[in-house]
Amino acid sequence: MATTPHTTLIDSDGFLLHAEDETAMRAEMTHYEQPQAACIEALKIVQRRHGWVPDEAIGAIARVLGIAPASVESVATFYSLIFRQPVGRHIVLVCDSSACFLSGFDELKQALVNQLGIDYGQTTEDDRFTLLPVCCLGACDGAPALMIDNDTYGPVTADDLPALLESYS
Amino acid sequence: MSQPTDNQPIANQRSSVRYRSRLMQSEAERHADTHPLTWRLRDDGAVVWLDEHLHKNGYQSVRKALDAGDPQAVIATMKEANVRGRGGAGFSAGLKWSLTLQGDDIPRGYLICNADEMEPGTFKDRLLLEQQPHLLIEGMILGAYANNAFYGYIFLRSEYVQAAQVLNRAIDEAREAGWLGANINGSGFDFDIAVHTGAGRYICGEETALLNALEGGRANPRSKPPFPGQSGAWGKPSVVNNVETLCNVPGVVLNGADWYQGLSGERTDDGGTKLYGVSGPVENPGLWELPIGTTGAELLDRARGMRGNHQLKAWLPGGASTGFLLPEHLALPLDFDTVGKEGSRLGTGLMTVVPQAQSMVSLMRNMEEFFARESCGWCTPCRDGLPWSVKLLLALEHGEGEPGDIELLDKLAADCGPSLTFCAHAPGAAMPLQAALKHFRHEFEQGVKKPRGEMHSTTMTHEQ
Amino acid sequence: MAIIHVDGQAYEVNGADNLLQACLSLGLDIPYFCWHPAMGSVGACRQCAVRQYKDADDDQGMLVMSCMTPAKDQTRIDIEDEEARTFRASVVEWLMINHPHDCPVCEEGGHCHLQDMTVMTGHDRRRYRFSKRTRRNQNLGPFIGHEMNRCITCYRCVRFYNDYAGGTDLGAFGSKDNVYFGRYEEGTLESPFAGNLTEVCPTGVFTDKSHAAHYTRKWDLQFAPSICHQCAMGCNISPGERGGSLRRIENRYHGDVNGYFLCDRGRFGYGYVNRSDRPKVPEWRAQLDQTPTHLEVDAALDHITDALRHARRVIGIGSPRASLESNHQLRELVGDKHFSTGIEAQEQACLERMNHLQRTAGLPTPTPREIERHDAILILGEDPVQSAGRLGLNLRQAALARRETMGEKLDVPTWDAEALKTLGQDSYHPLHIAWPTTTELDSVAIRHSLAPEEIARLGFAVAHIIDPSAPAVDRLDTATRETAQQIADDLMAAERPLVVSGGTLTSEAILEAAGNIAKALSMHAKQAGLVLIRREANSTGLALMGGQPLDWALDELAQGNADALVVLENDLYQRLPAKQVDAALARADIRIVLDHQRTPTTDKASILLPAASFAETSGTLVNLEGRAQRFFQVFEPAYLRPEARLHASWHWLHSLAVSLRGEPPKAIHLDQATQACAEAYSSLAGMAQAAPGADHRIAGLPLAREPHRYSGRTAMRAHLNVNEPRPPQDPDTPFAHSMEGYSGFDRPRQQVPFAWAPGWNSPQAWNKFTDEVGGHLRGGDPGVRLIQPAPGHQGHYHQPVQSAEGTNALRALILPRLFGGEETSSLAAPIQQRTEQPSVILSADDAQRLALKTGDRVNIGEGTTLPVYVQPDWPTGWAGLPAGLVAGVLQGATLTLSAGDKP
Ligand SMILES: Cc1cc2nc3c(=O)[nH]c(=O)nc-3n(C[C@H](O)[C@H](O)[C@H](O)COP(=O)(O)O)c2cc1C
Ligand code: SF4
Ligand code: FES
């Protein structure tokens, strides 16, 4: 996904939704009986552009969908892949579920922590990577598995990591 | 037609470790009459798009059903074939469909495909979604026809990025070819499909939580009754079926219930084939379409046994929410009832093996961390009980257990049983824990090293 | 009815209930958290587990949640089952894992449902030895405190706030064991019913901030059954006093009127009782510019007697915010011919019209509880949440009840809250509101934005469609005709249509239109109802009592037809323009004012008598249903403030009358005052039966105002005198100013000062006092209906009004305001903080004509400047003004706006 790097998000009225994002949200709304159903997708639309969902976006989404900000926030904070804090340019999701756990997850996780210098929920100082655990990636025959942005990898060994991480600038 | 890939060029070092969903059986091994789920798949793993799907008998089942013009007959065939839900619970799909409210004063509802696959150890739906979208669409049209649904959603976990692209394109193809939309194939039947992607959280796969997620809310489950078939998405009759379940429908409709029953032969009463898999430290982890009722031993054989010097200690028959079985259970046919009788569940039917060297305490700690983290937070046993179990297991893992801890875990597991919690998530967390405490109690006892009530080290403050 | 078997005993229960409800109704204890009688079941907390058996042969059974299991005939359950018991113990133990165990400093302590349930389940040993999670709290505004560490995640708050009350700014955030209940960003809770969170929350997360400011444990408070004085709804309240000041107001369960809930004006508006600037002793001054001299009671009475003896003619001005007893004593003092109700003429005409319509329009007035069963509603010219607080919740439930109708078809029981919500989505019973601006009910309503005359014309048109023999409306525009058709269709399609109107716009035409609709519906023999909203706590009662309007009284004075004046608890400047009041007062040589607050009127008194507030005395009010209800003295002010000379106005006025007649001083008791009033007016005859008299006893005992555990009584007055006098004796009521007396739940009681039963310290204890949970008090819901529909249709149709001729004049449209729109509650600090910034609403046309835009400031007279707000669908020719802001501006008064100071 193309992200416009750090455009001004906020004007005096609050959050500036990009016109095409609003259009995309409105298009999503047509898929459902109620506008509320487009909430998760709307959050993802904002996140695709900004990497995360800034506070001001909650109100903006609420306005587009015609629902209460509290209702948007209660959804935004429920789902693990909606980020309500700034994250790095790339999201590293490490699968910590049973198959991976039984097939080298500990070593892989340790290698990630060592190489990135961060633990779960943290972002590297250069804003490049954020590390998070994820539910079973459905790649158990490729355990241990991880996902960087939209790409799933597995099996990944500690030795694979430097080159792999290097390819995400 | 070119296969959609990510827009970005893939660096070589990336593609070498890129994960690809694959079936372990070659095209030569798979046949239309024995491998209804996978015979169309290509060895190169490329997507079977509409043209190829049509060449390979695609949409014939839809034509047949719509021509016959009898939705109830579809349900009857499904019942007779005894297609049991492949999402984990094994509920008869035909029976579920027969309970969906239909009638002149009942609004037409929804047919929802559960493609949220997040059960640890489960990687079967991914294959069907990424490589064979039209089989699923076909199954959904049949399901919609039988259940008088006017619209369908594929509830897809957001991490299945490639599946989303494939499905969206396939849906467009099908719509263009007249298999979706108004008046399908001239039958007067209308039905269309949208892909709905989630944003994480295992609980979204629970069918009623899925409905709340679909409606754009918090994915707390709903109580039953009313069942989704009575009042589902937006209060309309809704049917939720797993990807694999729906992919079984075209074969059943086209070839009949007897044929389907015949697929599993004498092994079991359950009909058809199953996407079985093996993961964990085996030589050759993977996925196979085999008659339902295949034994664990045969699966382990296909996986070429334990990796290296590992010995099999225990195994999960179908995901983290099923109870551990022991090596002695490998001889059993893996069907819903047999595994159920052993105090476990077939679940998703993808086995995870545990090697002898693995501490069961650590494994349980890992699994309960998963269940505690994925709790939706609605009911007390799951929300507040599971995190406590994690802390107790952590204590035992670090040799900081106290007398009484194991009994507490026993009670916690018992208190998270079916009917005690709001949905099946916590019982899913309890089942492996109970089995582990039963079969491997000594390992837990080794962690009890502290007297009661002493101060503990910081490893115990396991914060979220 | 169904027979269920519990622990081997057979019981008869309501088969439509769930098992929890049924068992609690039987008086059996099952612990619970997420279930609430008014909000149904969701099965979240898992606290209410019992063992259920399939049939008589089943000896295995399985654990079920009693709140999610229907109480079907022949259900067999065991509450005392060992496994169920240990499971329930586990649940409380889990709920307490992260709880801070801060009961000693927690404001919920002593009336905490979590404490009660923890004791009930026997959880008294902590086994969890790991770290607890902690949370940050939010400032939720002047009403509600927030302490999230105490949360047990029962979801009751969001269910009440959002689903029941229609709020949108509170939410559940996060997931797993980290669910946070709060606002999406810190700030004041917006719902006018937020205060109920303090009772709905089973623990100390949401607490009453007004209480925190002078906190006292429930067991240390003195209570009496009281009636909210803040509007005409007549909610039953349980005010708590300690040390001579009111500390909090809690809901007092009434099966028909307020159920479990109050509005925030009623709950947090009591601060005026505690104001230090209240008049506490009689004050006298010969000249207005003199500092008043304090008088003793006898001296004050002598003084007044003397003055009144010399007066040519004394006018008495009563008050719709004072009790019937006080008004009657005033009327007795001055004589029928000299008595005014103290209500402005147009408003009084409307009040009389409403009483009349209630008798003759052919429809009964449902109780607020019954309103919730009406399946199509038209609200004509009212904004119920602003003008009648709690009533708004009833109306909202009526709209939501569509879900239950839908659920019936699928056998979804009425208590299955989430299932009904899913099923209902956003379909509601039709609720039409004809009102010029947004209302709190808009989210479940269809609103028609119209000017007052147009509202009336719409109403007449609706009546004509329902019954063509009702007069038609001339020159109706197409849009209004279509609206009328839609409303008429909805009302006629319903089984129990309801018409709601009232006196807020002081338009007789609107009331006549409502009357026409009511009559038309009654012609169709619908089980319809008519609800008419009055403004103040005793507006209905005063209209029943009768008397001349305030305008008449002022005229008599201004014209020199009288030279003395007695004003009862009434600020005349609130009711008529200051010039008019000034002119009248200037001609009165003797101005006697009784009040419990200082007002512009008391400032003009030659003698000011300090009246007791509702908390310090007793009396009777008539609410908007026509229900006479008694409120009782909570505390005796002189006990802790011996210097105070606060007395009931009826007491003062009676003593004056006695003194004037030259008789020896003779006290009057409440029952006599009530009886005298009941006998004097046939319309009020029933009021004596509104509550038991002073001689009422239970088991030979008076009723205790203080809980058993009331502490520190002997030290209470130690700062005044170490000799402890006996507690004040109360000859007026059956209540004792002490913990001695009956305070149980086992004998049916109608007048309950505070709810308490063994093991039930929280407001959940009310369930011990009702015939079934959520039902009626076993002793009967208090109060007596005074207005009954007359048999046969005596009413006739009224002629529609003509559309107003277009003029350029701007007329005032006073909009009721829950916060700030009522005289006494506006004196309470939290209400003042909660009052929104007022503005003048103008239509786009008027704004253009006057060259004004939103944000511009204009002068609206009396030196008040306000910002302009231009509202698109606002009717042209009207300027919307908030009630209670500019005293004495009447509905429809012509306004001249002049440019105000720059902001
Ligand atoms: C916690 C939880 C997670 C679940 N996740 C999934 C899932 O990801 N995919 C799925 O098909 N079923 C899942 N299920 C099962 C569904 O609730 C439901 O039984 C299934 O979708 C029904 O489809 P079927 O009858 O075709 O199997 C889950 C159940 C639970 C309790
Ligand atoms: S068991 Fe309860 S808390 Fe856990 S996922 Fe189900 S409903 Fe949510
Ligand atoms: S009261 Fe029954 S589950 Fe909460």
Side-chain angles (χ1 to χ4, degrees), chain A residues 31-33 36-37 44 74-75 78-79 81 96 98 101 134-138 141 147 151-154 167-168, chain B residues 6 14 17 19 110 120 122-123 126 153 157-159 196-199 201 215-218 234 236 353 366 373-374:
Chain A
H31 292 168
Y32 308 98
E33 273 189 42
Q36 170 88 41
K44 293 206 292 191
S74 78
V75 169
F78 184 91
Y79 294 95
L81 295 178
D96 61 357
S98 31
F101 182 78
V134 71
C135 286
C136 177
L137 278 173
D141 50 348
M147 203 172 168
D151 312 315
T152 308
Y153 300 101
S167 65
Y168 291 87
Chain B
D6 289 343
R14 285 203 207 174
V17 285
Y19 172 77
Y110 296 98
T122 307
F123 48 101
R126 183 197 269 268
Y153 292 103
R157 67 178 296 187
S158 70
E159 295 92 330
H196 174 104
T197 60
R201 303 312 305 267
E215 289 183 15
R218 297 163 61 78
W234 297 284
K236 305 230 166 75
V353 301
N366 166 271
R373 184 181 77 202
E374 296 306 323

Coordinates of all heavy atoms in Angstrom, one line a residue, chain A residues 31-33 36-37 44 74-75 78-79 81 96 98 101 134-138 141 147 151-154 167-168, chain B residues 6 14 17 19 110 120 122-123 126 153 157-159 196-199 201 215-218 234 236 353 366 373-374:
Chain A
H31 N -21.9 -2.0 1.2 CA -21.9 -3.4 1.2 C -22.8 -4.0 2.3 O -22.9 -5.2 2.4 CB -20.5 -4.0 1.4 CG -19.6 -3.7 0.2 ND1 -18.3 -3.9 0.3 CD2 -19.9 -3.3 -1.0 CE1 -17.7 -3.6 -0.9 NE2 -18.7 -3.2 -1.7
Y32 N -23.3 -3.1 3.2 CA -23.9 -3.6 4.4 C -25.3 -2.9 4.6 O -25.5 -1.9 4.1 CB -23.0 -3.4 5.6 CG -21.6 -3.9 5.5 CD1 -20.6 -3.0 5.1 CD2 -21.3 -5.2 5.7 CE1 -19.3 -3.5 4.9 CE2 -20.0 -5.7 5.5 CZ -19.0 -4.9 5.2 OH -17.7 -5.3 5.0
E33 N -26.0 -3.6 5.5 CA -27.3 -3.0 5.9 C -27.2 -1.7 6.7 O -28.1 -0.9 6.7 CB -28.1 -4.0 6.7 CG -28.9 -4.9 5.9 CD -29.9 -5.8 6.7 OE1 -30.5 -5.3 7.6 OE2 -30.0 -7.0 6.4
Q36 N -22.6 1.2 10.4 CA -21.7 0.8 11.4 C -20.8 -0.4 10.9 O -19.6 -0.5 11.3 CB -22.5 0.3 12.7 CG -21.7 -0.4 13.7 CD -21.0 0.5 14.8 OE1 -21.7 1.5 15.2 NE2 -19.8 0.2 15.1
A37 N -21.3 -1.2 10.0 CA -20.5 -2.4 9.6 C -19.3 -2.0 8.8 O -18.3 -2.8 8.7 CB -21.4 -3.3 8.7
K44 N -9.3 0.6 8.9 CA -8.2 0.1 8.1 C -7.8 1.0 7.0 O -6.6 1.1 6.6 CB -8.5 -1.3 7.6 CG -8.6 -2.3 8.7 CD -8.4 -3.8 8.3 CE -9.4 -4.3 7.4 NZ -9.2 -5.8 7.2
S74 N -14.7 2.0 20.5 CA -14.8 0.7 21.2 C -14.5 -0.4 20.2 O -14.1 -1.5 20.6 CB -16.2 0.6 21.7 OG -17.2 0.3 20.7
V75 N -14.7 -0.2 18.9 CA -14.3 -1.2 17.9 C -12.8 -1.1 17.7 O -12.1 -2.1 17.6 CB -15.1 -0.9 16.6 CG1 -14.6 -1.7 15.5 CG2 -16.6 -1.2 16.8
F78 N -10.8 -2.9 20.2 CA -11.1 -4.3 20.4 C -10.1 -5.1 19.5 O -9.6 -6.2 19.9 CB -12.5 -4.6 20.0 CG -12.9 -6.1 20.3 CD1 -13.4 -6.5 21.5 CD2 -12.7 -7.0 19.3 CE1 -13.7 -7.8 21.7 CE2 -13.0 -8.4 19.5 CZ -13.5 -8.8 20.7
Y79 N -9.9 -4.7 18.3 CA -9.2 -5.5 17.3 C -7.7 -5.3 17.4 O -7.2 -4.1 17.5 CB -9.7 -5.2 15.9 CG -11.2 -5.7 15.8 CD1 -12.2 -4.8 16.0 CD2 -11.5 -7.0 15.6 CE1 -13.6 -5.3 15.9 CE2 -12.8 -7.5 15.5 CZ -13.8 -6.6 15.7 OH -15.1 -7.0 15.7
L81 N -5.3 -5.7 15.3 CA -4.6 -5.2 14.1 C -5.0 -3.8 13.8 O -4.7 -3.3 12.7 CB -4.7 -6.1 12.9 CG -4.0 -7.5 13.2 CD1 -4.2 -8.4 12.0 CD2 -2.6 -7.4 13.5
D96 N 3.0 -16.9 17.4 CA 3.5 -17.5 18.7 C 2.6 -18.7 19.0 O 2.5 -19.1 20.2 CB 3.6 -16.5 19.8 CG 2.2 -15.9 20.1 OD1 1.2 -16.2 19.4 OD2 2.2 -15.1 21.1
S98 N 0.7 -22.6 18.8 CA 1.3 -23.9 19.2 C 2.3 -24.5 18.2 O 3.4 -24.9 18.6 CB 0.3 -24.8 19.7 OG -0.9 -24.6 19.0
F101 N 5.3 -22.6 18.2 CA 6.0 -22.7 19.5 C 6.7 -24.0 19.6 O 7.8 -24.1 20.1 CB 4.9 -22.6 20.6 CG 5.4 -22.7 22.0 CD1 6.0 -21.6 22.6 CD2 5.4 -23.9 22.7 CE1 6.5 -21.7 23.9 CE2 5.9 -24.0 24.0 CZ 6.5 -22.9 24.6
V134 N 1.2 -12.5 16.9 CA -0.1 -12.7 16.2 C -0.6 -14.2 16.4 O 0.2 -15.1 16.6 CB 0.2 -12.4 14.7 CG1 1.0 -13.5 14.0 CG2 -1.2 -12.2 13.9
C135 N -1.9 -14.3 16.2 CA -2.5 -15.7 16.3 C -1.9 -16.5 15.2 O -1.6 -15.9 14.1 CB -4.0 -15.6 16.0 SG -5.0 -15.0 17.2
C136 N -2.0 -17.8 15.3 CA -1.6 -18.7 14.3 C -1.8 -18.2 12.9 O -2.9 -17.8 12.6 CB -2.4 -20.0 14.5 SG -2.1 -21.2 13.2
L137 N -0.8 -18.1 12.1 CA -0.9 -17.5 10.8 C -1.4 -18.4 9.7 O -1.5 -18.0 8.6 CB 0.5 -17.0 10.3 CG 0.9 -15.6 10.9 CD1 2.4 -15.3 10.5 CD2 0.0 -14.5 10.4
G138 N -1.8 -19.6 10.1 CA -2.3 -20.6 9.1 C -1.1 -21.0 8.2 O -1.4 -21.2 7.0
D141 N 2.6 -25.5 8.4 CA 3.5 -26.4 7.8 C 4.8 -25.6 7.4 O 5.7 -26.2 6.8 CB 2.9 -27.1 6.5 CG 2.2 -26.1 5.6 OD1 2.0 -24.9 6.1 OD2 1.8 -26.4 4.5
M147 N 5.1 -12.7 9.6 CA 4.5 -11.9 8.6 C 5.1 -10.5 8.7 O 5.2 -9.9 9.8 CB 3.0 -11.8 8.8 CG 2.2 -11.5 7.5 SD 0.4 -11.7 7.8 CE -0.1 -10.9 6.3
D151 N 3.3 -9.8 3.7 CA 4.0 -11.0 3.2 C 4.2 -11.9 4.4 O 4.6 -11.6 5.5 CB 5.3 -10.6 2.7 CG 5.2 -9.4 1.7 OD1 4.3 -9.5 0.9 OD2 6.0 -8.5 1.8
T152 N 3.9 -13.2 4.1 CA 4.0 -14.3 5.1 C 5.3 -15.1 4.8 O 5.5 -15.4 3.6 CB 2.8 -15.2 5.1 OG1 1.6 -14.4 5.2 CG2 2.9 -16.2 6.2
Y153 N 6.0 -15.4 5.8 CA 7.3 -16.1 5.6 C 7.3 -17.3 6.5 O 6.8 -17.3 7.7 CB 8.5 -15.2 5.9 CG 8.6 -14.0 5.0 CD1 8.2 -12.8 5.4 CD2 9.0 -14.2 3.7 CE1 8.2 -11.7 4.6 CE2 9.1 -13.1 2.8 CZ 8.6 -11.8 3.3 OH 8.7 -10.8 2.4
G154 N 7.9 -18.4 6.0 CA 8.0 -19.6 6.9 C 8.5 -20.8 6.1 O 8.1 -20.9 4.9
S167 N 15.4 -6.2 3.5 CA 14.6 -5.9 2.3 C 13.4 -5.0 2.6 O 12.7 -4.6 1.7 CB 14.1 -7.2 1.6 OG 13.2 -7.9 2.5
Y168 N 13.2 -4.7 3.9 CA 12.2 -3.7 4.2 C 12.8 -2.4 4.7 O 13.4 -2.4 5.8 CB 11.2 -4.3 5.3 CG 10.4 -5.4 4.8 CD1 10.9 -6.7 4.8 CD2 9.1 -5.1 4.2 CE1 10.1 -7.7 4.3 CE2 8.4 -6.2 3.7 CZ 8.9 -7.5 3.8 OH 8.1 -8.5 3.3
Chain B
D6 N 1.8 -9.5 -5.1 CA 1.9 -8.1 -4.6 C 2.5 -7.2 -5.6 O 3.2 -7.7 -6.5 CB 2.9 -8.2 -3.4 CG 2.2 -8.8 -2.2 OD1 1.0 -9.0 -2.3 OD2 2.9 -9.3 -1.3
R14 N 13.8 -12.6 -0.1 CA 12.5 -12.7 0.5 C 11.8 -13.9 -0.1 O 11.2 -14.7 0.7 CB 11.7 -11.5 0.1 CG 12.0 -10.2 0.8 CD 10.8 -9.4 0.7 NE 11.1 -8.0 0.8 CZ 10.2 -7.0 0.6 NH1 8.9 -7.3 0.4 NH2 10.5 -5.8 0.7
V17 N 12.2 -17.5 1.5 CA 11.5 -17.9 2.7 C 10.0 -17.6 2.7 O 9.4 -17.7 3.7 CB 12.2 -17.3 4.0 CG1 13.5 -17.9 4.3 CG2 12.3 -15.8 3.8
Y19 N 6.3 -17.9 2.5 CA 5.4 -19.1 2.7 C 4.4 -19.3 1.6 O 3.8 -18.3 1.1 CB 4.7 -18.9 4.0 CG 3.7 -20.0 4.3 CD1 4.1 -21.3 4.7 CD2 2.3 -19.8 4.0 CE1 3.2 -22.3 4.8 CE2 1.4 -20.8 4.2 CZ 1.8 -22.0 4.6 OH 0.9 -23.1 4.7
Y110 N -28.7 -14.2 5.0 CA -27.3 -14.2 4.6 C -26.7 -15.6 4.6 O -27.1 -16.4 5.5 CB -26.5 -13.3 5.5 CG -26.9 -11.8 5.4 CD1 -27.8 -11.2 6.3 CD2 -26.5 -11.0 4.3 CE1 -28.2 -9.9 6.2 CE2 -26.9 -9.7 4.2 CZ -27.7 -9.2 5.1 OH -28.1 -7.9 5.0
P120 N -5.0 -22.3 16.3 CA -3.6 -22.7 16.2 C -3.4 -24.1 15.6 O -4.1 -25.1 16.1 CB -3.1 -22.6 17.6 CG -3.9 -21.6 18.2 CD -5.3 -21.7 17.6
T122 N -3.9 -24.8 12.4 CA -4.8 -25.0 11.3 C -4.5 -24.2 10.1 O -4.3 -23.0 10.2 CB -6.3 -24.6 11.7 OG1 -6.6 -25.4 12.9 CG2 -7.3 -25.0 10.7
F123 N -4.3 -24.9 8.9 CA -3.8 -24.2 7.7 C -4.4 -24.7 6.5 O -3.8 -24.9 5.5 CB -2.3 -24.2 7.6 CG -1.7 -25.6 7.9 CD1 -1.3 -26.3 6.8 CD2 -1.5 -26.1 9.1 CE1 -0.7 -27.6 7.0 CE2 -1.0 -27.4 9.3 CZ -0.6 -28.1 8.2
R126 N -6.8 -21.8 4.1 CA -6.0 -20.9 3.3 C -5.7 -21.5 1.9 O -5.8 -20.7 0.9 CB -4.6 -20.8 4.0 CG -3.7 -19.8 3.3 CD -2.2 -20.1 3.8 NE -1.9 -19.2 5.0 CZ -1.3 -18.0 4.9 NH1 -1.1 -17.5 3.7 NH2 -0.9 -17.4 6.0
Y153 N -21.4 -13.2 2.6 CA -20.1 -12.6 2.9 C -19.1 -13.7 3.1 O -19.4 -14.7 3.7 CB -20.2 -11.8 4.3 CG -21.1 -10.6 4.1 CD1 -22.4 -10.6 4.6 CD2 -20.6 -9.4 3.6 CE1 -23.2 -9.5 4.5 CE2 -21.4 -8.3 3.5 CZ -22.7 -8.3 4.0 OH -23.5 -7.2 3.8
R157 N -9.9 -13.5 7.5 CA -9.0 -12.9 8.4 C -8.1 -12.0 7.6 O -7.7 -12.2 6.5 CB -8.2 -13.9 9.2 CG -7.2 -14.7 8.4 CD -6.4 -15.7 9.2 NE -5.6 -15.0 10.2 CZ -4.7 -15.6 10.9 NH1 -4.5 -16.9 10.9 NH2 -3.9 -14.9 11.8
S158 N -7.7 -10.9 8.2 CA -7.0 -9.8 7.5 C -5.6 -10.2 7.0 O -5.1 -9.7 6.1 CB -7.0 -8.5 8.2 OG -6.1 -8.7 9.3
E159 N -5.0 -11.2 7.7 CA -3.7 -11.6 7.4 C -3.7 -12.4 6.0 O -2.6 -12.6 5.4 CB -3.0 -12.5 8.5 CG -2.8 -11.7 9.8 CD -4.0 -11.9 10.7 OE1 -5.1 -12.0 10.2 OE2 -3.8 -11.8 11.9
H196 N -15.4 -9.7 3.3 CA -15.3 -8.8 4.5 C -14.0 -9.2 5.2 O -13.9 -10.4 5.6 CB -16.5 -9.0 5.4 CG -16.4 -8.2 6.7 ND1 -17.1 -7.0 7.0 CD2 -15.7 -8.5 7.8 CE1 -16.7 -6.6 8.2 NE2 -15.9 -7.4 8.7
T197 N -13.1 -8.3 5.4 CA -11.9 -8.7 6.1 C -11.9 -8.2 7.5 O -12.4 -7.1 7.8 CB -10.6 -8.2 5.3 OG1 -10.7 -6.8 5.3 CG2 -10.5 -8.8 3.9
G198 N -11.3 -9.0 8.4 CA -11.3 -8.6 9.8 C -10.1 -7.8 10.1 O -9.4 -7.2 9.3
A199 N -9.8 -7.7 11.4 CA -8.7 -6.9 11.9 C -8.1 -7.6 13.1 O -7.8 -7.0 14.1 CB -9.1 -5.5 12.2
R201 N -8.0 -11.0 16.0 CA -8.8 -11.6 17.0 C -9.4 -12.9 16.6 O -10.4 -13.0 15.9 CB -9.9 -10.6 17.5 CG -9.5 -9.3 18.0 CD -8.3 -9.3 19.0 NE -8.6 -10.2 20.2 CZ -9.1 -9.8 21.3 NH1 -9.3 -8.5 21.5 NH2 -9.3 -10.6 22.3
E215 N -21.1 -7.0 11.7 CA -21.9 -5.8 11.8 C -21.1 -4.6 12.3 O -21.6 -3.5 12.5 CB -23.0 -6.0 12.8 CG -24.1 -7.0 12.3 CD -25.3 -7.2 13.3 OE1 -25.4 -6.4 14.2 OE2 -26.0 -8.1 13.1
G216 N -19.8 -4.8 12.4 CA -18.9 -3.6 12.7 C -18.9 -3.3 14.2 O -18.6 -2.2 14.6
G217 N -19.1 -4.3 15.0 CA -19.1 -4.1 16.4 C -18.0 -4.9 17.1 O -17.0 -5.4 16.4
R218 N -18.0 -4.9 18.4 CA -17.0 -5.7 19.1 C -17.4 -7.2 19.0 O -18.6 -7.5 19.0 CB -17.0 -5.3 20.6 CG -16.7 -3.8 20.8 CD -17.1 -3.4 22.2 NE -16.5 -4.1 23.3 CZ -15.2 -3.9 23.7 NH1 -14.4 -3.0 23.1 NH2 -14.7 -4.6 24.7
W234 N -27.8 -8.7 11.3 CA -28.8 -7.6 11.3 C -30.2 -8.2 11.6 O -31.2 -7.8 11.0 CB -28.8 -6.9 10.0 CG -27.5 -6.1 9.8 CD1 -27.2 -4.9 10.4 CD2 -26.4 -6.5 8.9 NE1 -25.9 -4.6 10.0 CE2 -25.4 -5.5 9.1 CE3 -26.2 -7.6 8.1 CZ2 -24.2 -5.5 8.5 CZ3 -25.0 -7.6 7.4 CH2 -24.0 -6.6 7.6
K236 N -31.4 -10.9 10.6 CA -32.0 -11.8 9.5 C -31.5 -13.2 9.7 O -30.4 -13.4 10.2 CB -31.6 -11.2 8.2 CG -32.0 -9.7 8.0 CD -32.7 -9.5 6.7 CE -33.4 -8.2 6.7 NZ -32.5 -7.0 6.5
V353 N 2.0 -32.2 16.6 CA 2.6 -33.2 17.4 C 3.5 -32.5 18.4 O 4.1 -31.5 18.2 CB 3.5 -34.2 16.5 CG1 2.6 -34.9 15.5 CG2 4.6 -33.4 15.8
N366 N 2.2 -21.5 27.0 CA 2.0 -20.8 25.7 C 0.6 -20.9 25.2 O 0.0 -19.9 24.7 CB 2.9 -21.5 24.6 CG 2.6 -21.1 23.2 OD1 1.8 -21.7 22.6 ND2 3.2 -20.0 22.8
R373 N -5.2 -14.1 25.8 CA -5.0 -13.0 25.0 C -6.2 -12.8 24.0 O -6.6 -11.7 23.7 CB -3.7 -13.1 24.2 CG -3.4 -11.9 23.4 CD -2.1 -12.1 22.6 NE -2.3 -13.0 21.5 CZ -1.3 -13.6 20.9 NH1 0.0 -13.6 21.3 NH2 -1.5 -14.4 19.8
E374 N -6.7 -13.9 23.6 CA -7.8 -13.9 22.5 C -9.2 -13.8 23.1 O -10.1 -13.8 22.4 CB -7.6 -15.0 21.6 CG -6.3 -15.0 20.7 CD -6.1 -13.6 20.0 OE1 -7.1 -13.1 19.5 OE2 -5.0 -13.1 20.0

